[in-house]
Amino acid sequence: MAHLIADKTICPLCGKTISSDDVVVGFPAFLKPSHRLGLFSDGIFHQACVDLSSEGAEAQALYTQWLAVWQSRPSNLESLEDIDEWGKNAFAHYWQEVARADS
Ligand SMILES: [Zn+2]
């Protein structure tokens, strides 16, 4: 997850710095950087900038799906291998949606 440094981090949508008073939204790496909406992956933004952007709405919709899949993972997965194996199946539908949003 990207880290916010107040008055240093730049919002990629408006190009202005993010201050500690601003309402922000951050995304983990939920898309490949090469995706049409890859700007939103692993980034921090002004909430208002995301809300005003049509691509922001698309990114938030995909992120909501990503989060739902991730939160559905069984609690007994311990090793990275187990999580990887689970993820291949669990995220299959999600990655189809991501590919559709990229075309
Ligand atoms: Zn902004």
Side-chain angles (χ1 to χ4, degrees):
M1 173 82 87
H3 291 281
L4 172 65
I5 303 166
D7 301 318
K8 285 265 196 299
T9 300
I10 305 231
C11 170
L13 289 174
C14 69
K16 296 181 183 152
T17 54
I18 298 174
S19 84
S20 51
D21 297 332
D22 293 337
V23 180
V24 299
V25 58
F27 299 99
F30 71 110
L31 294 169
K32 294 188 168 66
S34 58
H35 191 273
R36 181 173 64 83
L37 302 170
L39 169 77
F40 293 93
S41 189
D42 199 25
I44 295 180
F45 306 82
H46 295 115
Q47 177 77 63
C49 292
V50 172
D51 290 347
L52 285 172
S53 153
S54 60
E55 291 188 330
E58 290 181 77
Q60 282 196 306
L62 284 174
Y63 174 60
T64 299
Q65 290 186 45
W66 181 91
L67 200 59
V69 175
W70 180 243
Q71 289 177 340
S72 75
R73 76 189 181 283
S75 57
N76 62 354
L77 298 177
E78 286 174 3
S79 70
L80 278 178
E81 289 78 18
D82 286 351
I83 292 173
D84 270 357
E85 198 51 44
W86 164 81
K88 275 181 208 152
N89 293 315
F91 280 97
H93 177 72
Y94 169 76
W95 290 118
Q96 284 174 6
E97 292 292 311
V98 165
R100 201 168 298 140
D102 201 20
S103 56

